[in-house]
Amino acid sequence: MSAVTEPLSRKPSSDTRIDTIDMHTGGEPVRIVTAGYPAIPGATILEKRRFARDHLDAFRRLIMFEPRGHYDMYGVLQVEPDLPGADMAVLFIHNEGYSTMCGHATIALGRYALDQGLIKAGADGIATLKLQCPCGLVEVNVTATGPEKGRVSFVSVPAFAFALDVTVDVPGKGKVKLDIGYGGAYYAFLPAGTFGLDVRRSLTAELVAAASAVTKAVQAQIQLHHPDDPDLAFLYGTILTDGGDGATKPTANICVFAADEVDRSPTGSGVTARLALMAARREVADDEWRQFESVTGSIFQGRVAAHQKAGTFDAIRAEVAGRAYYTGSASFTVEADDPLAGGFLLR
């Protein structure tokens, strides 16, 4: 008798029950799956990411899309790590698919790991989580005691300036000058003032439309590459800034990523990439903390923690800090006769 093998691709059914713990960092949601998601095989984390995308995507839609989620929902899937020394490995999910890095989720995961007993604080009151993300290993430090209790910081993977002052032709906007930075994911950066907009005062819809147009133009006109893996070489989104540097007062930005999703936090991987761009221009000194503000007014702090090479790129490792909070927990189920059980999105 031949062995019975489970099909590679699966879809939710009436037997499905997915348990989550929900948090937010700077207002940006983090839905951490704790049980019920199908196993995600793969020898490496990028293989797991491809498997989840190609064979289990209906489960992502189930918990990210309405009626259980919403257009700007964000989530975390826990998988088996494949890097030596990693305490935890995760995939990041959103309205379009699977990110390679997420700073706001990493901050939430630091607090979650401490509260779940996955890591413990040392004599200095700091607990350290070695978190494997699709882009690499990230060190997360959680302050467990004292006046800074609850503060979480992470030290990024190597981040670098891919291109400075590159010109892109944006349909309807003309030729614009921008930077492209990598902080675990690639972003295009330019001041919102390029389009006569203000990050703090303009309508969100206007900012999203401008950022989305830039993303599409860069994707069509700029060929990205990454020294570690081709799976990392894609433009995740565009970050419009107020043109500030965060030295004497917070510099505001809005990150529009994936399928026009708006980050409510200052964007941890975006802050990392901004620091890499500042370092490339010698606009920030090592260990000098800068402040970054989101559309909700939430603040991340960031600094250049170290220098190294990433292939041929001069790279930094950034430390980014913020706070995360719990919002609840849920058990998501499916009724067999529900015509909208698979999820939908409205905007």
Side-chain angles (χ1 to χ4, degrees):
M1 180 182 294
S2 61
V4 176
T5 59
E6 191 172 342
L8 290 178
S9 297
R10 294 181 58 187
K11 292 184 178 181
S13 67
S14 58
D15 295 328
T16 297
R17 173 176 169 151
I18 297 177
D19 298 333
T20 69
I21 290 178
D22 284 20
M23 303 179 73
H24 83 88
T25 308
E28 180 71 356
V30 186
R31 176 163 286 168
I32 303 170
V33 174
T34 58
Y37 213 87
I40 304 174
T44 69
I45 196 165
L46 289 175
E47 286 185 12
K48 293 179 175 73
R49 179 173 173 266
R50 288 192 292 270
F51 185 93
R53 179 195 65 200
D54 296 342
H55 300 292
L56 302 174
D57 201 50
F59 291 89
R60 174 189 65 86
R61 295 194 299 271
L62 183 77
I63 58 174
M64 292 292 97
F65 288 11
E66 299 177 56
R68 300 168 189 84
H70 54 78
Y71 197 95
D72 296 291
M73 179 54 72
Y74 204 96
V76 172
L77 308 176
Q78 299 179 64
V79 297
E80 285 296 318
D82 60 83
L83 286 180
D87 301 307
M88 178 191 293
V90 293
L91 301 179
F92 302 116
I93 57 176
H94 47 69
N95 68 7
E96 183 184 54
Y98 305 80
S99 177
T100 53
M101 176 58 193
C102 180
H104 89 273
T106 294
I107 289 169
L109 285 164
R111 185 176 176 196
Y112 168 84
L114 177 64
D115 294 342
Q116 294 294 315
L118 303 177
I119 55 175
K120 297 187 182 299
D124 59 357
I126 303 296
T128 299
L129 171 71
K130 297 297 179 74
L131 179 68
Q132 184 182 5
C133 304
C135 63
L137 192 66
V138 174
E139 181 180 291
V140 188
N141 293 304
V142 188
T143 303
T145 60
E148 289 291 298
K149 182 179 179 181
R151 181 180 187 268
V152 182
S153 70
F154 66 87
V155 178
S156 74
V157 296
F160 51 84
F162 181 86
L164 298 176
D165 294 327
V166 63
T167 298
V168 175
D169 190 0
V170 181
K173 308 290 186 181
K175 294 184 183 299
V176 301
K177 189 178 293 185
L178 53 82
D179 300 331
I180 299 174
Y182 179 81
Y186 278 110
Y187 298 94
F189 292 85
L190 70 166
T194 302
F195 306 110
L197 300 174
D198 186 301
V199 172
R200 290 184 174 91
R201 295 178 179 86
S202 296
L203 294 175
T204 301
E206 294 177 322
L207 294 164
V208 171
S212 178
V214 171
T215 296
K216 291 173 183 174
V218 173
Q219 288 172 337
Q221 298 169 43
I222 304 294
Q223 181 67 47
L224 299 178
H225 62 87
H226 192 279
D228 291 342
D229 195 288
D231 275 9
L232 303 175
F234 66 96
L235 190 76
Y236 191 32
T238 292
I239 297 179
L240 302 178
T241 77
D242 63 0
D245 61 10
T248 59
K249 62 181 181 180
T251 172
N253 63 226
I254 181 172
C255 175
V256 181
F257 66 99
D260 294 346
E261 188 162 340
V262 178
D263 197 335
R264 275 71 171 157
S265 83
T267 309
S269 54
V271 167
T272 299
R274 283 189 75 181
L275 286 166
L277 293 171
M278 289 180 187
R281 286 201 167 94
R282 303 186 185 278
E283 294 174 345
V284 61
D286 292 356
D287 298 321
E288 179 186 0
W289 286 97
R290 299 293 178 93
Q291 294 189 82
F292 302 85
E293 182 182 353
S294 77
V295 291
T296 65
S298 61
I299 302 292
F300 283 174
Q301 296 175 313
R303 71 181 180 100
V304 175
H307 293 263
Q308 67 178 83
K309 297 289 284 190
T312 60
F313 295 101
D314 292 324
I316 67 161
R317 286 187 184 268
E319 183 177 7
V320 178
R323 291 177 178 267
Y325 301 89
Y326 291 96
T327 57
S329 60
S331 293
F332 294 108
T333 57
V334 174
E335 289 195 84
D337 61 345
D338 181 357
L340 298 177
F344 61 91
L345 289 178
L346 292 179
R347 193 66 185 268

